[in-house]
Amino acid sequence: MRLDRIEREEEVLVDVINCVSQPDLNDTSLACRTMDVSEQGMKMSSGMVIPVNTIVALRLDLPTQLYRLEAEVRWSQENGENTLGLLIDKESQDIGAWAKMFQLDF
């Protein structure tokens, strides 16, 4: 299995599904940008802090396809901008198409 990270900047729409540590964030929607992506995760910049262990829904509307994925925030850094590391849920609606993209020449 390839776990290569590919630097790619794309807009991604993020909906907070479940934030245990800050429940007031639930149902918050925001636009973020990917920094790099892999078959199992992605790093992205966000306009706000999203705590670790938060479950989010992702919508990436790429020129070739629309991807709907769910992910968990695994790490979060505040370094001038908010940077998040996400682990994509293997049960996500479009996980098959997402994984297939990495077997092609991205």
Side-chain angles (χ1 to χ4, degrees):
M1 180 185 305
R2 290 179 46 191
L3 296 178
D4 299 341
R5 293 198 164 276
I6 299 166
E7 286 189 31
R8 182 144 181 175
E9 265 198 54
E10 298 286 349
E11 182 171 287
V12 56
L13 299 176
V14 177
D15 291 314
V16 177
I17 296 173
N18 186 13
C19 181
V20 174
S21 63
Q22 294 181 34
D24 55 313
L25 289 181
N26 291 343
D27 299 322
T28 298
S29 297
L30 65 151
C32 299
R33 290 204 69 78
T34 62
M35 299 169 81
D36 68 40
V37 296
S38 74
E39 191 171 332
Q40 295 184 346
M42 67 182 66
K43 178 167 76 170
M44 67 181 189
S45 61
S46 166
M48 60 185 274
V49 175
I50 302 176
V52 171
N53 299 324
T54 299
I55 305 298
V56 294
L58 307 172
R59 179 187 161 116
L60 286 96
D61 196 356
L62 303 183
T64 53
Q65 185 167 346
L66 168 65
Y67 297 95
R68 294 179 188 271
L69 304 166
E70 285 191 13
E72 178 182 351
V73 177
R74 298 303 294 256
W75 58 264
S76 178
Q77 294 177 332
E78 292 178 68
N79 49 358
E81 65 179 344
N82 301 307
T83 307
L84 308 171
L86 303 178
L87 177 65
I88 297 172
D89 185 337
K90 292 182 177 90
E91 302 297 316
S92 293
Q93 177 178 335
D94 292 331
I95 193 66
W98 178 257
K100 186 179 283 185
M101 182 172 58
F102 290 91
Q103 295 158 9
L104 304 172
D105 214 11
F106 202 110

